[in-house]
């Protein structure tokens, strides 16, 4: 009987160490999720900065184009030769207005695409955040359950220790 109880104690110790190892593994997995979330945050910030810079560059180029057209119109003098090949000379007022409308429409499309991309990235990030929070909650619950199991094992171990001590005292 004593041998059986020692085997039972040994199996409890083995389970306790296995649960402690599992707790460590879960903590490591939790840290890995945190690191991945940080990496994704940095990547999103980088992409937002890149898109902002690209948008600023587009606006700058558009402004330069309109400024060039306006300067060309302002610098016209009556004595200039028509064959100089100025862009404003090649375009009629109707074509210039059409160019302005096309530019405005293009700008709206680009902005719409940027907003859609931002919204998609935000949705993906929210989904990832929710999954991470759910996994974090699951890990916390698992850790708590393992802590309870360890406490139960310690109580059983203490009970068996007291039982064997009493048995040893009475046997002697």
């Amino acid at each position: 009987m004593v041998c059986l109880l020692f085997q039972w104690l040994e199996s409890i110790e083995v389970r306790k160490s296995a649960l402690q190892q599992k707790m460590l593994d879960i903590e490591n997995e939790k840290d890995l999720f945190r690191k991945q979330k940080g990496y994704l945050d940095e990547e999103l910030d980088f992409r937002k900065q890149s898109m902002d810079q690209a948008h600023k560059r587009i606006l700058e180029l558009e402004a330069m184009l309109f400024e060039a057209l306006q300067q060309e119109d302002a610098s016209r003098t009556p004595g200039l030769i028509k064959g100089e090949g100025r862009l404003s000379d090649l375009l009629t007022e109707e074509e210039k207005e059409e160019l302005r409308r096309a530019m405005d429409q293009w700008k709206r499309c680009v902005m719409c695409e940027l907003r859609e991309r931002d919204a998609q990235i935000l949705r993906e990030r929210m989904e990832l955040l929710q999954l991470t929070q759910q996994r974090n909650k699951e890990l916390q619950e698992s850790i708590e359950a393992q802590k309870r199991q360890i406490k139960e094992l310690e109580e059983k171990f203490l009970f068996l220790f007291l039982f064997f001590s009493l048995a040893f005292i009475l046997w002697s």
Side-chain angles (χ1 to χ4, degrees):
M1 172 146 164
V2 172
C3 184
L4 183 62
L5 289 175
F6 278 119
Q7 287 176 346
W8 191 55
L9 274 175
E10 189 176 311
S11 71
I12 288 174
E13 284 293 323
V14 168
R15 274 194 275 161
K16 178 182 175 183
S17 64
L19 286 173
Q20 287 174 335
Q21 181 60 43
K22 192 171 183 182
M23 275 179 50
L24 290 174
D25 292 344
I26 289 172
E27 286 290 336
N28 290 337
E29 189 176 346
K30 185 177 166 182
D31 290 340
L32 179 65
F33 277 122
R34 282 189 190 132
K35 288 177 185 176
Q36 287 175 341
K37 182 184 178 292
Y39 169 74
L40 291 173
D41 284 339
E42 290 174 10
E43 183 178 347
L44 178 65
D45 291 342
F46 175 76
R47 286 183 180 185
K48 282 183 179 180
Q49 285 178 341
S50 296
M51 289 191 339
D52 288 344
Q53 289 173 352
H55 178 67
K56 287 177 185 175
R57 182 66 179 147
I58 288 168
L59 292 176
E60 181 183 336
L61 291 172
E62 287 175 349
M64 287 171 54
L65 174 64
F66 284 120
E67 186 179 320
L69 284 173
Q70 289 173 353
Q71 285 178 356
E72 209 173 76
D73 286 341
S75 69
R76 269 194 198 159
T77 57
L80 288 179
I81 304 171
K82 287 187 176 183
E84 285 186 23
R86 291 183 175 199
L87 179 61
S88 60
D89 291 340
L90 299 174
L91 298 176
T92 65
E93 288 302 317
E94 192 176 291
E95 289 172 330
K96 289 177 188 177
E97 188 59 36
E98 195 174 309
L99 175 64
R100 283 187 194 99
R101 277 187 299 226
M103 290 281 230
D104 289 341
Q105 184 179 6
W106 177 77
K107 261 201 296 195
R108 284 191 299 274
C109 287
V110 168
M111 290 305 294
C112 184
E113 287 175 11
L114 288 174
R115 282 192 296 271
E116 287 175 11
R117 227 177 290 151
D118 284 347
Q120 178 63 29
I121 289 171
L122 185 59
R123 280 191 296 273
E124 290 171 1
R125 301 284 288 144
M126 289 301 292
E127 289 173 11
L128 182 62
L129 180 62
Q130 288 173 351
L131 290 174
T132 303
Q133 288 173 339
Q134 179 64 31
R135 182 64 179 151
N136 193 12
K137 183 179 175 184
E138 291 170 3
L139 292 173
Q140 290 289 4
E141 291 171 357
S142 176
I143 288 171
E144 290 302 318
Q146 289 178 359
K147 284 180 180 178
R148 285 191 301 274
Q149 287 177 341
I150 288 173
K151 186 176 180 180
E152 289 172 7
L153 288 173
E154 287 173 346
E155 288 172 356
K156 288 177 183 178
F157 180 75
L158 181 61
F159 170 76
L160 288 174
F161 178 75
L162 292 173
F163 176 76
F164 282 124
S165 297
L166 182 62
F168 182 72
I169 291 170
L170 292 176
W171 203 337
S172 313

